[in-house]
Every structure is written in C-alpha cells, then in structure tokens.
Amino acid sequence: MCRVGTRSEARRGGVGVAALAALALVAGGCEPAPINVPAPPTASPSPSPSPTDAPRRVPTPTPPSGAGAFTCTERVTIPDIADVIGAAWSPDGRTIAIDRVVALPSARITGSPEEFFLDAFDIATGEVTPLGVGERQQWSASGRYLAYWSWDGELRIAIGGRVIDLPKATIPDARWVGDTLYYFAKDEIQAWTDAGVRTVTHLPADLVPHYPQDDAAFSGDARRFTITRYSLDGTTRRYWGITETGEVTELDLGDATFTEWAPSGETLLVRYADRLEERDGDGRVGGIPLSRFAGPVHEWTPSGLDLLMGPVTPAANGEISFDSFALWGSGEPATTAILPNLVGPRGFSPDGRYFAGDSRTALRTTRFELFRCGTGAGATPIAGGPAPSGELRYLRPVVGAITQLLTPTHTGIDIAAPLGSLIYAADDGVVTSVGWVNVGGRRVCVGHASGITTCDYHTSAALVRVGERVARGQPVALVGLTGVTTGPHVHWEATVGTRIIDPLTR
C-alpha cells in the first residue's frame, strides 16, 4: 500500500485494544501516475466568492416533489460494482465518484490489507472510469473539479482523473464553495481556486488541529467550522468558528457523542444517547428525543438541509427491504420517505431522483445499488441470495477496507471507513456493553449464543442500549475517532472469556 507517513495515517487502522504498541503498520510502494481522462468541455471558472456570499451552482433537474417524492423503491439495473465505501454525486446528478475496496497483498503485513480506489460511474452509460487512489471525494459546484484525500496523505484536485494541484492540507476535511476549495493547513484556513491560493485566516495558537487527535470540518457553506479535540480519558471538547475571521468559541455540548454538519447551509447535527439537536449559525437550538422516531438512523434529504430519521432493517443475506423514515422539521415528525435498507454509502443524489448504497452479496462483500425515487413503484422486498451456510457466520461490521489483521500484538481486525458510517452487528445476540474503555474509546459489545462476544471499538455514537437484543446486520453504532486511533475505523474484536479469537474465522 502507498498511503503512508504522518498525514497518511488518516484512514489507517488503529491500535489493538489490549496493546498500545499495535499501531497500524506502514506499507511501502507508491501511487501509479495519474490516469489522464478527458475533462468535460467547460469554460475556465472564475474565482468563487467568499463564504459570506452564496455559492455558485450549476443548473440541476427539478427534484421530485409532493407525496412519494422520497419513495425510492424502483431498482435501477446497473453494472456490478463491488464493495463501494463512499459515493459523491456530481452536481448534475449524472456521475458518481465512488471509492471501493481493492485487495493489495503485502509482504509487510500479514494477509491481504485493502485500499480505496476511486472511479467515476456514469449513470446514463454504465461506464466506470478510473480516477485515482483515495477517499473523501467531492465535486466542485460546477462539476469541473474533484478533490480527494490520497492514500499518501495529500489533498488532491483533479480534472477528469488528472491531478492538477496538491494544496498543502493537514486535515482531510475540505469544502467546495462554488469552485473554491476551503481547507485547513496547519494554523491557517486556506482557499484554493484555479487562480491560486489565499490565506483566509489564522487559527488561535492553542486550537490548531492535529489530526487525528483532533478533527476539523467545515459547514456545508464553509462559513463556519468545527474543531473536535479528543482526550484519552473519554472527554471531548468541541469548538466552532467563523471561517473568514478565525474567531472560535467553545461549544458546551455536555454528553454529546457525535456532531456532523448538514451537507448544505450551516446546521450542526448533535447526537446524544437519547436525543438529537440541531444548531444553526446564529446559535438557535432545536431538540427532540430519539424515542419520537421509529429508529435511530439519520439521512439528509436531497437539499442537504433537512433530516430524515428511521430504522434500517437488518441486512444479512442480500434481501433488500424498505424502511419508513420521518422528516424532522419545525413541526411533528411525519413519515415522508420509503428507503431501501442499503448498507455503506447510503444517500440521495442532489436532484433527489436516486437513492444509492450497497446491498450484501455475501457475509463480507457488497454490491453498489441505485434506486429511483418518486415513481410510485411498490415497496416489495427484493429477494437476496441463499442464507449463509457452513462454518462462517459473522458479517463484516462495516463497509470498509481492512487495514490491520490479528497479530500477537494486535487484538482484532481494523476496518477503515468514513466517519459516521453505520456499524452493523456481526451476528444475532444481546448488547452487553456500551461506553468508554481505555485505548479502545467508545465501544459496543454483543454477546452471542455461541459464547463469543464481539466488540466494535473507536465508535462515535451507539445506536443500541445494554440488554437490547439485536439481529445480524442491524446497525449498532457509528464509526468514530475515539480512543487511540490513527483515523476513522472500527477495531473489530472477538473473545471467548478473556481469550482473543479471529472474527474472520467465525
């Protein structure tokens, strides 16, 4: 693998829960030369305005509206694309930049660790075009540029797969406003355009984020940002600031476990164990108990401004079911969406015409799926493959890439996945533990009838409670950065009593 070095550890696996010495190993190699893919014909964009102005956007088709607009039940036939981890839609909704798992055998790491490869999937033609090697991909508002975080720890800007610039970013998160890219560079916030780079502001000396001990992210319109500072005692300090001035204020969020900016605007979603909050840029707060919803999983509507909440039916054998989600707005939650129980990179296209994600093809593999929305098609479950047979039974708990295997000094399997991704129960069982542990951070453990207990470490938010019975494939937590970690991932551990076993053999 090539994604190495201090900054490259952003997505690598973390340490073993029982041994601090088990840091993710550094792999050798280097990325092949960028693939030259012709860029779409377009005029050179002019520099975008600052975050105090509205972002420029290219015209998109009118989204579906009215009753059933978010009813996404018509499966679209597309080519087989395996193990997609993340998906970023182009502004016109015609192309999806996908990162997927590719196995890369290594003599330096036991077994076959995996990496993220980037492709462009054209919905109309079904064509899949290589773009590079990386993750956290996102398009500029014109669709001309694609930014992504490479496997060697660089922020890259590309046109049609050809890398044109390497801004000196030190935090993986970045945000396009029009065709201007905002990112963190040590103690500065910088903005890139095709005309050059400018320093927007400087951060306070005591709040310069150092990834992954700290994390930082921009609001959907890049007018604001958050800095999250993790501590090994389980406490988390959160700050938010104004991008143009660098002014930063500490947020008093008490026992909150997870924050996320809405994809558009400047709404901050805050998750607690029992409730949700939304905070806008003016500090106004709205809250609601999680008990008001049928399930704890959240999705953003196509506008990127409103929140959908609901259950996700356990997905274990490839069957696709449909779940009801409620819109949380200014009034009472109302059922407004029927969504397939896809795993991995769940989400709408920007025009609201499609909902995408993965279905399971086996215990530990998936296939990319596309569903058309607003057509009124019936929500009839789609049959999957046969139920698992033989000795193996455990599902891979997250759609992601294995970056570290079980060794004498590493007590589990590390699987890298985007921050906030759903983590799934490996098998049926009862939740035995939810909460903080040293090194492992926030964990969720499930006891199984076999006498084996599986635990997911470094999570950001639990979706279940102790004593709750869960089914194989049921969402139980969100991927996080808690504990000792080199980036967002799950440390997946299995034990019988105090004896460590390999969950990949179960």
Side-chain angles (χ1 to χ4, degrees), residues 49-65:
S50 76
T52 57
D53 297 319
R56 292 187 295 114
R57 297 192 183 280
V58 295
T60 58
T62 303
S65 60

Side-chain angles (χ1 to χ4, degrees), residues 6 12 45 49 75 196 301 309 333 344 385 430 465 499-500:
T6 8
R12 297 298 308 278
R75 192 183 196 181
T301 59
M309 292 292 301
V430 176
R465 297 177 181 272
R499 180 169 61 91
I500 299 290

Side-chain angles (χ1 to χ4, degrees), residues 4 21 108 111 133 157 165 174 204 217 262 319 364:
V4 298
R108 299 183 61 182
V133 183
I157 298 175
D165 212 343
E319 178 179 290
R364 294 157 194 174

Side-chain angles (χ1 to χ4, degrees), residues 103-139:
L104 295 174
S106 170
R108 299 183 61 182
I109 301 178
T110 304
S112 296
E114 301 166 340
E115 264 299 350
F116 307 101
F117 274 61
L118 277 174
D119 293 323
F121 169 52
D122 187 301
I123 294 174
T125 66
E127 184 178 359
V128 177
T129 305
L131 291 178
V133 183
E135 54 189 316
R136 296 184 186 240
Q137 63 273 23
Q138 57 174 308
W139 301 90

Side-chain angles (χ1 to χ4, degrees), residues 257 269-277 287-298 307-311 326 328 333 461-465 478:
T257 61
L269 173 66
V270 184
R271 291 192 71 124
Y272 299 83
D274 60 351
R275 68 191 188 280
L276 297 176
E277 282 183 359
I288 190 169
L290 279 169
S291 59
R292 298 280 292 279
F293 301 104
V297 176
H298 72 268
L307 198 68
L308 294 165
M309 292 292 301
W328 176 37
L463 304 180
V464 292
R465 297 177 181 272
L478 304 181

Side-chain angles (χ1 to χ4, degrees), residues 219-221 223-226 240-242 249 251 261-262 264-269 278-286:
S219 61
D221 57 11
R223 294 176 181 174
R224 290 186 173 270
F225 61 90
T226 49
W240 67 352
I242 300 172
T249 305
L251 284 168
W261 288 107
S264 301
E266 48 190 288
T267 296
L268 183 68
L269 173 66
E278 282 189 344
R279 297 180 174 232
D280 66 17
D282 296 325
R284 290 186 293 266
V285 180

Side-chain angles (χ1 to χ4, degrees), residues 118 131-137 147-150 154-156 163:
L118 277 174
L131 291 178
V133 183
E135 54 189 316
R136 296 184 186 240
Q137 63 273 23
Y148 63 93
W149 189 254
S150 73
E154 292 178 330
L155 180 61
R156 299 189 170 190
V163 176

